[in-house]
Amino acid sequence: MPELLQLVLPDLSATQALGQRLGRLLFPGAVVALVGPLGAGKTHLTRAIAEGLGIADSRIVTSPTFVLMQEYGARLPIYHFDAYRLRGAGDFDDLGVQEYFEGGGVCLVEWADRVPECLPAEHLRISLSIAGESSRVAELEGRGRRYEELIQQLREGARRL
Amino acid sequence: MPMSTTYFLALETSCDETAAAVFTEEPRILANVVASQTELHQRFGGVVPEVAARAHLQRLLPVIDQALREAQISLTQIGCLAVHHTPGLVGALLVGVSAAKMLALALEVPLIGVNHVEGHIYACQLAADHPIFPCVGLVVSGGHTTLYECAGPLQFTRLGATLDDAAGEAFDKVASLLGLGFPGGPAVEREASQGNPRAHAFPRSFLHEARLDFSFSGLKTAVLYALAGPNQPRPAPPPPGPQRADLAASFQQAVVDILVAKCRQALQRTGWRRLAVGGGVAANRVLRTALETMAHAEKADLFIPPLHLCTDNAAMAALAVEKWRQQLWAPLDLDAVPTLS
């Protein structure tokens, strides 16, 4: 059974705190699938994860919808994908994603639900839903041992807060 | 044509478009070919993945051939290669960069790398009959929303940029929320012409702040809430009618207000009296009119190129002519640089 964690994020700063904590825990080769409707905060969460990964200036983290992929330097290289504009798995594979997934960086994939067949079997899935004006609910699902452990670490961190 | 004319071949493969252009050192554009705007893609038949590097590979040589044909010159007459080598999708950029390097090597001519976003500003110079520099430059497209102080054609300083979505992306995503189809820019503009731009008081991020950055993500979310309230994440698009038109008009007005206000602030801060605007969103007529009014009030000249030079193309790499005059060649190991930073 995949490890699950549901978090209520009452405001933007809670989303930011989650992202930063997660960013500090991510490991080389980690793949994070971000799912949620327009305006759910996927890019916002990605920026916070990049901050947790030690990016020097997180303002360079912007939506990659048009450029499809952006790279940032941090503690680990960050590869920020966006499948919103793609017509399907073929397009996504044409970006060379499999090589990135198998590399030593961290892959963050917005709109990952549009290309489920491209994702590695083991990954962290974060599903964001809109609960109110600035409140969100995050459902985290760790698939595979390393991601189950990641969820446990996040859960312990959440308990301490 | 005098014997000494140097012909430039320029390539663009940074995102979706595969494009080639031929121009002289004046610069005068002799050919400006963009694959998606020609019947070229039909020649291949079937589905060509628009986003893949493979598509650029398939299209690039036919596009170069067509540009040379339209310019009525042969490849061996080319005296300089120019290529957009940053920013963009690395795999896509590499197709143009590799081809340009290979051609420069084979023809034994200089190679020049051009920043695609700076090229969007230079497109204004191509359409103007007098110098646009020094100026404030705004690039506003699907992928970029960036303000520059341009002391000269080779002296660009970034003043600010979007922190999340580009303006054109916001148009596309709001068009999707409203069920208006793709491309979102013209669709929203059409719908907005029927609506009341004051119907909804949508947020205008940083409007009254000194910073010259942009944020359109909150605006997109505000449209979503106006459509369905915060507890319905996947609302159905509204039916045609005044509600939909008002949402489109109010959204568009918010984007226009933000862009115009930041341009005005940049003009005031730099003291320049010229504003050059490039990128696909510059085609929006409400934005153009508002920029004209503001520029008039600020006693500034406004430059906006025609549509075919606003959207992605290779002719705007004529910025290379400015580098050529100063012999700013690129080495043959020129890299594709995906991110501006």
mmCIF file of all heavy atoms in Angstrom, chain A residues 37-39 47 61-63 65-69 71 84-85 87 91 94-95 100 130-133 136, chain B residues 15-16 49-52 54 89-90 142 162-165 169 172-173 176-177 221 224-225 230-231 339:
data_model
loop_
_atom_site.group_PDB
_atom_site.id
_atom_site.type_symbol
_atom_site.label_atom_id
_atom_site.label_comp_id
_atom_site.label_asym_id
_atom_site.label_seq_id
_atom_site.Cartn_x
_atom_site.Cartn_y
_atom_site.Cartn_z
ATOM 1 N N PRO A 37 -6.010 21.433 -10.202
ATOM 2 C CA PRO A 37 -6.586 22.293 -11.234
ATOM 3 C C PRO A 37 -5.836 23.617 -11.379
ATOM 4 O O PRO A 37 -4.969 23.942 -10.559
ATOM 5 C CB PRO A 37 -8.011 22.531 -10.729
ATOM 6 C CG PRO A 37 -7.921 22.372 -9.250
ATOM 7 C CD PRO A 37 -6.869 21.321 -9.016
ATOM 8 N N LEU A 38 -6.182 24.373 -12.400
ATOM 9 C CA LEU A 38 -5.643 25.719 -12.592
ATOM 10 C C LEU A 38 -5.820 26.518 -11.311
ATOM 11 O O LEU A 38 -6.907 26.522 -10.732
ATOM 12 C CB LEU A 38 -6.393 26.446 -13.709
ATOM 13 C CG LEU A 38 -6.028 26.142 -15.162
ATOM 14 C CD1 LEU A 38 -7.002 26.851 -16.092
ATOM 15 C CD2 LEU A 38 -4.610 26.565 -15.461
ATOM 16 N N GLY A 39 -4.759 27.179 -10.854
ATOM 17 C CA GLY A 39 -4.878 28.022 -9.670
ATOM 18 C C GLY A 39 -4.710 27.281 -8.355
ATOM 19 O O GLY A 39 -4.854 27.865 -7.295
ATOM 20 N N ARG A 47 8.138 26.441 -6.371
ATOM 21 C CA ARG A 47 9.113 27.464 -5.977
ATOM 22 C C ARG A 47 9.589 27.213 -4.546
ATOM 23 O O ARG A 47 10.774 27.327 -4.242
ATOM 24 C CB ARG A 47 8.510 28.861 -6.103
ATOM 25 C CG ARG A 47 9.522 29.955 -5.766
ATOM 26 C CD ARG A 47 8.970 31.359 -5.941
ATOM 27 N NE ARG A 47 8.414 31.540 -7.253
ATOM 28 C CZ ARG A 47 7.142 31.871 -7.493
ATOM 29 N NH1 ARG A 47 6.308 32.076 -6.508
ATOM 30 N NH2 ARG A 47 6.718 32.007 -8.727
ATOM 31 N N VAL A 61 12.097 30.738 -10.627
ATOM 32 C CA VAL A 61 11.150 29.631 -10.787
ATOM 33 C C VAL A 61 9.814 30.210 -11.243
ATOM 34 O O VAL A 61 9.103 30.834 -10.472
ATOM 35 C CB VAL A 61 10.964 28.853 -9.467
ATOM 36 C CG1 VAL A 61 9.966 27.717 -9.656
ATOM 37 C CG2 VAL A 61 12.297 28.327 -8.977
ATOM 38 N N THR A 62 9.503 30.025 -12.525
ATOM 39 C CA THR A 62 8.247 30.522 -13.072
ATOM 40 C C THR A 62 7.530 29.371 -13.755
ATOM 41 O O THR A 62 8.073 28.275 -13.871
ATOM 42 C CB THR A 62 8.503 31.640 -14.100
ATOM 43 O OG1 THR A 62 9.370 31.129 -15.114
ATOM 44 C CG2 THR A 62 9.154 32.861 -13.452
ATOM 45 N N SER A 63 6.322 29.620 -14.199
ATOM 46 C CA SER A 63 5.560 28.549 -14.844
ATOM 47 C C SER A 63 6.216 28.122 -16.156
ATOM 48 O O SER A 63 6.464 28.952 -17.024
ATOM 49 C CB SER A 63 4.150 29.040 -15.128
ATOM 50 O OG SER A 63 3.507 28.132 -15.993
ATOM 51 N N THR A 65 4.834 26.429 -18.496
ATOM 52 C CA THR A 65 3.798 25.969 -19.415
ATOM 53 C C THR A 65 4.215 26.135 -20.871
ATOM 54 O O THR A 65 4.057 25.224 -21.669
ATOM 55 C CB THR A 65 2.476 26.715 -19.158
ATOM 56 O OG1 THR A 65 1.959 26.297 -17.899
ATOM 57 C CG2 THR A 65 1.438 26.383 -20.226
ATOM 58 N N PHE A 66 4.778 27.280 -21.233
ATOM 59 C CA PHE A 66 5.116 27.500 -22.642
ATOM 60 C C PHE A 66 6.444 26.889 -23.042
ATOM 61 O O PHE A 66 6.573 26.314 -24.103
ATOM 62 C CB PHE A 66 5.057 28.987 -23.008
ATOM 63 C CG PHE A 66 3.727 29.320 -23.595
ATOM 64 C CD1 PHE A 66 2.611 29.413 -22.782
ATOM 65 C CD2 PHE A 66 3.558 29.446 -24.970
ATOM 66 C CE1 PHE A 66 1.362 29.650 -23.306
ATOM 67 C CE2 PHE A 66 2.318 29.675 -25.508
ATOM 68 C CZ PHE A 66 1.207 29.783 -24.685
ATOM 69 N N VAL A 67 7.432 26.991 -22.150
ATOM 70 C CA VAL A 67 8.744 26.464 -22.519
ATOM 71 C C VAL A 67 8.865 24.974 -22.227
ATOM 72 O O VAL A 67 9.847 24.350 -22.617
ATOM 73 C CB VAL A 67 9.887 27.229 -21.833
ATOM 74 C CG1 VAL A 67 9.954 28.647 -22.355
ATOM 75 C CG2 VAL A 67 9.731 27.250 -20.332
ATOM 76 N N LEU A 68 7.884 24.406 -21.532
ATOM 77 C CA LEU A 68 7.759 22.971 -21.244
ATOM 78 C C LEU A 68 8.721 22.450 -20.179
ATOM 79 O O LEU A 68 8.401 21.554 -19.442
ATOM 80 C CB LEU A 68 7.937 22.126 -22.510
ATOM 81 C CG LEU A 68 7.039 22.538 -23.667
ATOM 82 C CD1 LEU A 68 7.435 21.802 -24.939
ATOM 83 C CD2 LEU A 68 5.577 22.274 -23.334
ATOM 84 N N MET A 69 9.922 23.027 -20.099
ATOM 85 C CA MET A 69 10.854 22.584 -19.079
ATOM 86 C C MET A 69 11.829 23.686 -18.741
ATOM 87 O O MET A 69 12.272 24.398 -19.633
ATOM 88 C CB MET A 69 11.658 21.388 -19.565
ATOM 89 C CG MET A 69 12.455 20.763 -18.452
ATOM 90 S SD MET A 69 13.826 19.781 -19.070
ATOM 91 C CE MET A 69 15.139 20.941 -19.012
ATOM 92 N N GLU A 71 15.357 24.529 -16.105
ATOM 93 C CA GLU A 71 16.384 23.942 -15.256
ATOM 94 C C GLU A 71 16.876 24.998 -14.292
ATOM 95 O O GLU A 71 17.085 26.142 -14.696
ATOM 96 C CB GLU A 71 17.588 23.587 -16.144
ATOM 97 C CG GLU A 71 17.731 22.145 -16.473
ATOM 98 C CD GLU A 71 19.000 21.929 -17.305
ATOM 99 O OE1 GLU A 71 20.093 21.803 -16.721
ATOM 100 O OE2 GLU A 71 18.860 21.893 -18.534
ATOM 101 N N TYR A 84 1.004 20.687 -19.227
ATOM 102 C CA TYR A 84 -0.303 21.302 -19.517
ATOM 103 C C TYR A 84 -0.588 21.378 -21.011
ATOM 104 O O TYR A 84 -1.676 21.118 -21.475
ATOM 105 C CB TYR A 84 -0.332 22.707 -18.917
ATOM 106 C CG TYR A 84 -1.609 23.490 -19.182
ATOM 107 C CD1 TYR A 84 -2.760 23.253 -18.432
ATOM 108 C CD2 TYR A 84 -1.665 24.458 -20.185
ATOM 109 C CE1 TYR A 84 -3.934 23.957 -18.671
ATOM 110 C CE2 TYR A 84 -2.830 25.170 -20.429
ATOM 111 C CZ TYR A 84 -3.956 24.915 -19.671
ATOM 112 O OH TYR A 84 -5.108 25.613 -19.916
ATOM 113 N N ARG A 85 0.420 21.780 -21.768
ATOM 114 C CA ARG A 85 0.232 22.082 -23.181
ATOM 115 C C ARG A 85 0.432 20.844 -24.075
ATOM 116 O O ARG A 85 0.220 20.925 -25.287
ATOM 117 C CB ARG A 85 1.274 23.146 -23.565
ATOM 118 C CG ARG A 85 0.771 24.274 -24.416
ATOM 119 C CD ARG A 85 1.653 25.489 -24.231
ATOM 120 N NE ARG A 85 3.065 25.273 -24.448
ATOM 121 C CZ ARG A 85 3.665 25.347 -25.645
ATOM 122 N NH1 ARG A 85 2.979 25.604 -26.717
ATOM 123 N NH2 ARG A 85 4.961 25.180 -25.738
ATOM 124 N N ARG A 87 0.073 17.121 -25.810
ATOM 125 C CA ARG A 87 -1.074 16.346 -26.275
ATOM 126 C C ARG A 87 -1.056 14.918 -25.763
ATOM 127 O O ARG A 87 -1.990 14.180 -25.958
ATOM 128 C CB ARG A 87 -1.120 16.365 -27.798
ATOM 129 C CG ARG A 87 -1.561 17.716 -28.335
ATOM 130 C CD ARG A 87 -1.363 17.774 -29.816
ATOM 131 N NE ARG A 87 0.038 17.477 -30.129
ATOM 132 C CZ ARG A 87 0.548 17.480 -31.345
ATOM 133 N NH1 ARG A 87 -0.235 17.713 -32.368
ATOM 134 N NH2 ARG A 87 1.820 17.233 -31.545
ATOM 135 N N ASP A 91 4.526 13.255 -26.736
ATOM 136 C CA ASP A 91 5.134 14.582 -26.664
ATOM 137 C C ASP A 91 6.072 14.686 -25.465
ATOM 138 O O ASP A 91 7.156 15.253 -25.545
ATOM 139 C CB ASP A 91 4.049 15.665 -26.497
ATOM 140 C CG ASP A 91 3.408 16.041 -27.830
ATOM 141 O OD1 ASP A 91 3.816 15.473 -28.857
ATOM 142 O OD2 ASP A 91 2.514 16.906 -27.823
ATOM 143 N N ASP A 94 9.219 12.844 -25.898
ATOM 144 C CA ASP A 94 10.087 13.535 -26.856
ATOM 145 C C ASP A 94 10.959 14.594 -26.193
ATOM 146 O O ASP A 94 11.959 15.028 -26.753
ATOM 147 C CB ASP A 94 9.251 14.188 -27.968
ATOM 148 C CG ASP A 94 8.839 13.155 -29.018
ATOM 149 O OD1 ASP A 94 9.496 12.105 -29.088
ATOM 150 O OD2 ASP A 94 7.874 13.408 -29.759
ATOM 151 N N LEU A 95 10.557 15.053 -25.011
ATOM 152 C CA LEU A 95 11.381 16.026 -24.283
ATOM 153 C C LEU A 95 12.615 15.352 -23.668
ATOM 154 O O LEU A 95 13.472 16.014 -23.118
ATOM 155 C CB LEU A 95 10.577 16.673 -23.152
ATOM 156 C CG LEU A 95 9.425 17.586 -23.539
ATOM 157 C CD1 LEU A 95 8.677 18.046 -22.298
ATOM 158 C CD2 LEU A 95 9.950 18.793 -24.294
ATOM 159 N N TYR A 100 16.121 12.431 -17.776
ATOM 160 C CA TYR A 100 16.118 13.287 -16.590
ATOM 161 C C TYR A 100 15.683 12.493 -15.352
ATOM 162 O O TYR A 100 16.237 12.651 -14.283
ATOM 163 C CB TYR A 100 15.198 14.487 -16.792
ATOM 164 C CG TYR A 100 15.739 15.517 -17.762
ATOM 165 C CD1 TYR A 100 15.249 15.593 -19.061
ATOM 166 C CD2 TYR A 100 16.746 16.401 -17.376
ATOM 167 C CE1 TYR A 100 15.739 16.531 -19.955
ATOM 168 C CE2 TYR A 100 17.247 17.340 -18.255
ATOM 169 C CZ TYR A 100 16.738 17.409 -19.551
ATOM 170 O OH TYR A 100 17.231 18.334 -20.418
ATOM 171 N N ILE A 130 -8.316 23.010 -4.121
ATOM 172 C CA ILE A 130 -8.640 24.349 -3.630
ATOM 173 C C ILE A 130 -9.737 24.234 -2.579
ATOM 174 O O ILE A 130 -10.816 23.734 -2.857
ATOM 175 C CB ILE A 130 -9.103 25.233 -4.809
ATOM 176 C CG1 ILE A 130 -7.983 25.338 -5.855
ATOM 177 C CG2 ILE A 130 -9.521 26.618 -4.313
ATOM 178 C CD1 ILE A 130 -8.384 26.077 -7.129
ATOM 179 N N ALA A 131 -9.427 24.710 -1.349
ATOM 180 C CA ALA A 131 -10.417 24.614 -0.271
ATOM 181 C C ALA A 131 -11.065 25.967 0.009
ATOM 182 O O ALA A 131 -12.194 26.048 0.452
ATOM 183 C CB ALA A 131 -9.746 24.088 0.994
ATOM 184 N N GLY A 132 -10.369 27.028 -0.257
ATOM 185 C CA GLY A 132 -10.873 28.380 -0.023
ATOM 186 C C GLY A 132 -10.002 29.367 -0.758
ATOM 187 O O GLY A 132 -9.101 28.966 -1.496
ATOM 188 N N GLU A 133 -10.259 30.647 -0.543
ATOM 189 C CA GLU A 133 -9.530 31.715 -1.254
ATOM 190 C C GLU A 133 -8.025 31.438 -1.318
ATOM 191 O O GLU A 133 -7.443 31.444 -2.390
ATOM 192 C CB GLU A 133 -9.804 33.039 -0.547
ATOM 193 C CG GLU A 133 -9.436 34.259 -1.345
ATOM 194 C CD GLU A 133 -10.583 34.731 -2.256
ATOM 195 O OE1 GLU A 133 -11.652 34.088 -2.298
ATOM 196 O OE2 GLU A 133 -10.398 35.741 -2.916
ATOM 197 N N ARG A 136 -5.568 25.458 0.843
ATOM 198 C CA ARG A 136 -5.436 24.316 -0.050
ATOM 199 C C ARG A 136 -5.368 23.040 0.776
ATOM 200 O O ARG A 136 -4.974 23.064 1.935
ATOM 201 C CB ARG A 136 -4.152 24.426 -0.888
ATOM 202 C CG ARG A 136 -4.055 25.686 -1.748
ATOM 203 C CD ARG A 136 -5.010 25.634 -2.918
ATOM 204 N NE ARG A 136 -4.873 26.773 -3.821
ATOM 205 C CZ ARG A 136 -5.597 27.896 -3.734
ATOM 206 N NH1 ARG A 136 -6.483 28.036 -2.765
ATOM 207 N NH2 ARG A 136 -5.430 28.872 -4.608
ATOM 208 N N CYS B 15 11.433 27.277 -29.139
ATOM 209 C CA CYS B 15 10.230 26.684 -28.532
ATOM 210 C C CYS B 15 9.442 25.921 -29.590
ATOM 211 O O CYS B 15 9.897 24.911 -30.099
ATOM 212 C CB CYS B 15 9.399 27.770 -27.865
ATOM 213 S SG CYS B 15 8.150 27.121 -26.741
ATOM 214 N N ASP B 16 8.262 26.397 -29.971
ATOM 215 C CA ASP B 16 7.415 25.649 -30.901
ATOM 216 C C ASP B 16 7.766 25.882 -32.363
ATOM 217 O O ASP B 16 7.604 25.000 -33.194
ATOM 218 C CB ASP B 16 5.943 26.060 -30.729
ATOM 219 C CG ASP B 16 5.402 25.674 -29.377
ATOM 220 O OD1 ASP B 16 6.164 25.087 -28.587
ATOM 221 O OD2 ASP B 16 4.223 25.950 -29.113
ATOM 222 N N PRO B 49 4.805 16.157 -34.055
ATOM 223 C CA PRO B 49 4.755 16.701 -32.691
ATOM 224 C C PRO B 49 5.384 18.091 -32.656
ATOM 225 O O PRO B 49 6.555 18.255 -32.975
ATOM 226 C CB PRO B 49 5.555 15.706 -31.855
ATOM 227 C CG PRO B 49 6.299 14.865 -32.823
ATOM 228 C CD PRO B 49 5.663 14.987 -34.166
ATOM 229 N N GLU B 50 4.559 19.057 -32.318
ATOM 230 C CA GLU B 50 4.999 20.440 -32.430
ATOM 231 C C GLU B 50 6.086 20.808 -31.444
ATOM 232 O O GLU B 50 6.795 21.778 -31.626
ATOM 233 C CB GLU B 50 3.798 21.374 -32.213
ATOM 234 C CG GLU B 50 2.839 21.372 -33.385
ATOM 235 C CD GLU B 50 1.528 22.025 -33.029
ATOM 236 O OE1 GLU B 50 1.512 22.866 -32.128
ATOM 237 O OE2 GLU B 50 0.525 21.686 -33.670
ATOM 238 N N VAL B 51 6.150 20.077 -30.349
ATOM 239 C CA VAL B 51 7.047 20.515 -29.286
ATOM 240 C C VAL B 51 8.381 19.803 -29.299
ATOM 241 O O VAL B 51 9.274 20.149 -28.555
ATOM 242 C CB VAL B 51 6.387 20.289 -27.912
ATOM 243 C CG1 VAL B 51 5.134 21.119 -27.799
ATOM 244 C CG2 VAL B 51 6.108 18.830 -27.691
ATOM 245 N N ALA B 52 8.508 18.816 -30.155
ATOM 246 C CA ALA B 52 9.683 17.966 -30.044
ATOM 247 C C ALA B 52 10.857 18.518 -30.824
ATOM 248 O O ALA B 52 10.714 19.148 -31.864
ATOM 249 C CB ALA B 52 9.350 16.575 -30.549
ATOM 250 N N ARG B 54 12.627 16.711 -32.429
ATOM 251 C CA ARG B 54 12.586 15.977 -33.691
ATOM 252 C C ARG B 54 11.848 16.771 -34.763
ATOM 253 O O ARG B 54 12.212 16.759 -35.934
ATOM 254 C CB ARG B 54 11.920 14.616 -33.466
ATOM 255 C CG ARG B 54 12.129 13.654 -34.612
ATOM 256 C CD ARG B 54 11.547 12.278 -34.324
ATOM 257 N NE ARG B 54 10.112 12.308 -34.180
ATOM 258 C CZ ARG B 54 9.453 11.850 -33.124
ATOM 259 N NH1 ARG B 54 10.116 11.327 -32.126
ATOM 260 N NH2 ARG B 54 8.144 11.925 -33.068
ATOM 261 N N LEU B 89 13.869 25.756 -24.613
ATOM 262 C CA LEU B 89 13.937 24.349 -24.265
ATOM 263 C C LEU B 89 15.274 23.822 -24.794
ATOM 264 O O LEU B 89 15.555 23.961 -25.982
ATOM 265 C CB LEU B 89 12.769 23.660 -24.960
ATOM 266 C CG LEU B 89 12.486 22.219 -24.643
ATOM 267 C CD1 LEU B 89 12.156 22.045 -23.169
ATOM 268 C CD2 LEU B 89 11.316 21.751 -25.490
ATOM 269 N N VAL B 90 16.080 23.210 -23.917
ATOM 270 C CA VAL B 90 17.458 22.922 -24.322
ATOM 271 C C VAL B 90 17.527 22.036 -25.560
ATOM 272 O O VAL B 90 18.291 22.308 -26.492
ATOM 273 C CB VAL B 90 18.298 22.376 -23.145
ATOM 274 C CG1 VAL B 90 17.856 20.985 -22.742
ATOM 275 C CG2 VAL B 90 19.774 22.399 -23.489
ATOM 276 N N GLY B 142 3.682 34.320 -24.600
ATOM 277 C CA GLY B 142 3.237 33.141 -23.861
ATOM 278 C C GLY B 142 4.275 32.668 -22.861
ATOM 279 O O GLY B 142 3.941 32.131 -21.811
ATOM 280 N N THR B 162 8.065 38.391 -14.813
ATOM 281 C CA THR B 162 6.994 37.723 -14.087
ATOM 282 C C THR B 162 7.581 36.742 -13.078
ATOM 283 O O THR B 162 8.604 36.106 -13.331
ATOM 284 C CB THR B 162 6.015 36.993 -15.021
ATOM 285 O OG1 THR B 162 4.954 36.446 -14.222
ATOM 286 C CG2 THR B 162 6.686 35.874 -15.789
ATOM 287 N N LEU B 163 6.905 36.653 -11.945
ATOM 288 C CA LEU B 163 7.333 35.721 -10.906
ATOM 289 C C LEU B 163 6.619 34.377 -11.049
ATOM 290 O O LEU B 163 6.957 33.415 -10.385
ATOM 291 C CB LEU B 163 7.039 36.296 -9.517
ATOM 292 C CG LEU B 163 7.684 37.645 -9.207
ATOM 293 C CD1 LEU B 163 7.343 38.078 -7.788
ATOM 294 C CD2 LEU B 163 9.198 37.560 -9.369
ATOM 295 N N ASP B 164 5.597 34.322 -11.898
ATOM 296 C CA ASP B 164 4.897 33.041 -12.061
ATOM 297 C C ASP B 164 4.487 32.820 -13.512
ATOM 298 O O ASP B 164 5.276 32.373 -14.316
ATOM 299 C CB ASP B 164 3.702 32.937 -11.095
ATOM 300 C CG ASP B 164 2.944 34.247 -10.927
ATOM 301 O OD1 ASP B 164 2.488 34.793 -11.943
ATOM 302 O OD2 ASP B 164 2.807 34.725 -9.779
ATOM 303 N N ASP B 165 3.242 33.172 -13.887
ATOM 304 C CA ASP B 165 2.790 32.942 -15.256
ATOM 305 C C ASP B 165 3.169 34.126 -16.139
ATOM 306 O O ASP B 165 3.168 35.269 -15.693
ATOM 307 C CB ASP B 165 1.255 32.799 -15.300
ATOM 308 C CG ASP B 165 0.738 31.643 -14.462
ATOM 309 O OD1 ASP B 165 1.567 30.920 -13.875
ATOM 310 O OD2 ASP B 165 -0.490 31.458 -14.395
ATOM 311 N N GLU B 169 0.388 33.344 -21.251
ATOM 312 C CA GLU B 169 -0.043 32.098 -20.624
ATOM 313 C C GLU B 169 -1.335 32.330 -19.835
ATOM 314 O O GLU B 169 -2.254 31.506 -19.865
ATOM 315 C CB GLU B 169 1.072 31.595 -19.708
ATOM 316 C CG GLU B 169 0.705 30.388 -18.887
ATOM 317 C CD GLU B 169 1.819 29.998 -17.919
ATOM 318 O OE1 GLU B 169 2.948 30.507 -18.049
ATOM 319 O OE2 GLU B 169 1.540 29.183 -17.026
ATOM 320 N N ASP B 172 -4.162 32.351 -22.182
ATOM 321 C CA ASP B 172 -4.512 30.998 -22.630
ATOM 322 C C ASP B 172 -5.271 30.225 -21.561
ATOM 323 O O ASP B 172 -6.215 29.496 -21.855
ATOM 324 C CB ASP B 172 -3.252 30.226 -23.033
ATOM 325 C CG ASP B 172 -2.840 30.539 -24.457
ATOM 326 O OD1 ASP B 172 -3.727 30.866 -25.270
ATOM 327 O OD2 ASP B 172 -1.641 30.474 -24.758
ATOM 328 N N LYS B 173 -4.827 30.372 -20.301
ATOM 329 C CA LYS B 173 -5.457 29.589 -19.237
ATOM 330 C C LYS B 173 -6.837 30.147 -18.894
ATOM 331 O O LYS B 173 -7.759 29.382 -18.596
ATOM 332 C CB LYS B 173 -4.541 29.519 -18.012
ATOM 333 C CG LYS B 173 -3.335 28.625 -18.321
ATOM 334 C CD LYS B 173 -2.454 28.311 -17.144
ATOM 335 C CE LYS B 173 -1.466 27.206 -17.534
ATOM 336 N NZ LYS B 173 -0.369 27.061 -16.565
ATOM 337 N N SER B 176 -9.171 28.960 -21.445
ATOM 338 C CA SER B 176 -9.550 27.581 -21.163
ATOM 339 C C SER B 176 -10.631 27.528 -20.078
ATOM 340 O O SER B 176 -11.615 26.800 -20.202
ATOM 341 C CB SER B 176 -8.296 26.798 -20.771
ATOM 342 O OG SER B 176 -8.620 25.670 -20.014
ATOM 343 N N LEU B 177 -10.475 28.334 -19.005
ATOM 344 C CA LEU B 177 -11.489 28.384 -17.940
ATOM 345 C C LEU B 177 -12.836 28.843 -18.492
ATOM 346 O O LEU B 177 -13.892 28.386 -18.059
ATOM 347 C CB LEU B 177 -11.062 29.361 -16.830
ATOM 348 C CG LEU B 177 -9.917 28.934 -15.911
ATOM 349 C CD1 LEU B 177 -9.520 30.093 -14.988
ATOM 350 C CD2 LEU B 177 -10.332 27.728 -15.080
ATOM 351 N N THR B 221 -6.415 32.868 -10.790
ATOM 352 C CA THR B 221 -7.198 32.243 -9.723
ATOM 353 C C THR B 221 -8.441 33.071 -9.405
ATOM 354 O O THR B 221 -9.511 32.519 -9.133
ATOM 355 C CB THR B 221 -6.326 32.080 -8.464
ATOM 356 O OG1 THR B 221 -5.067 31.524 -8.863
ATOM 357 C CG2 THR B 221 -6.968 31.146 -7.463
ATOM 358 N N LEU B 224 -11.106 32.288 -11.759
ATOM 359 C CA LEU B 224 -11.669 30.988 -11.374
ATOM 360 C C LEU B 224 -12.710 31.151 -10.270
ATOM 361 O O LEU B 224 -13.814 30.603 -10.345
ATOM 362 C CB LEU B 224 -10.528 30.074 -10.914
ATOM 363 C CG LEU B 224 -10.875 28.664 -10.438
ATOM 364 C CD1 LEU B 224 -11.273 27.811 -11.627
ATOM 365 C CD2 LEU B 224 -9.675 28.027 -9.742
ATOM 366 N N TYR B 225 -12.373 31.945 -9.227
ATOM 367 C CA TYR B 225 -13.302 32.145 -8.118
ATOM 368 C C TYR B 225 -14.551 32.910 -8.562
ATOM 369 O O TYR B 225 -15.660 32.631 -8.121
ATOM 370 C CB TYR B 225 -12.633 32.907 -6.973
ATOM 371 C CG TYR B 225 -11.521 32.146 -6.293
ATOM 372 C CD1 TYR B 225 -10.525 32.805 -5.597
ATOM 373 C CD2 TYR B 225 -11.467 30.755 -6.346
ATOM 374 C CE1 TYR B 225 -9.496 32.118 -4.977
ATOM 375 C CE2 TYR B 225 -10.441 30.063 -5.742
ATOM 376 C CZ TYR B 225 -9.455 30.742 -5.065
ATOM 377 O OH TYR B 225 -8.439 30.061 -4.452
ATOM 378 N N PRO B 230 -14.719 29.577 -4.478
ATOM 379 C CA PRO B 230 -13.486 28.854 -4.185
ATOM 380 C C PRO B 230 -13.653 27.358 -3.939
ATOM 381 O O PRO B 230 -12.680 26.646 -3.927
ATOM 382 C CB PRO B 230 -12.953 29.557 -2.936
ATOM 383 C CG PRO B 230 -14.096 30.305 -2.375
ATOM 384 C CD PRO B 230 -15.071 30.560 -3.472
ATOM 385 N N ASN B 231 -14.861 26.866 -3.741
ATOM 386 C CA ASN B 231 -14.988 25.460 -3.371
ATOM 387 C C ASN B 231 -15.290 24.523 -4.535
ATOM 388 O O ASN B 231 -15.535 23.355 -4.347
ATOM 389 C CB ASN B 231 -16.039 25.295 -2.276
ATOM 390 C CG ASN B 231 -15.566 25.936 -0.984
ATOM 391 O OD1 ASN B 231 -14.445 25.696 -0.555
ATOM 392 N ND2 ASN B 231 -16.397 26.776 -0.405
ATOM 393 N N THR B 339 18.037 28.620 -19.565
ATOM 394 C CA THR B 339 17.363 29.539 -18.644
ATOM 395 C C THR B 339 18.048 30.878 -18.598
ATOM 396 O O THR B 339 19.267 30.968 -18.567
ATOM 397 C CB THR B 339 17.348 28.941 -17.221
ATOM 398 O OG1 THR B 339 16.858 27.613 -17.312
ATOM 399 C CG2 THR B 339 16.440 29.736 -16.309
#
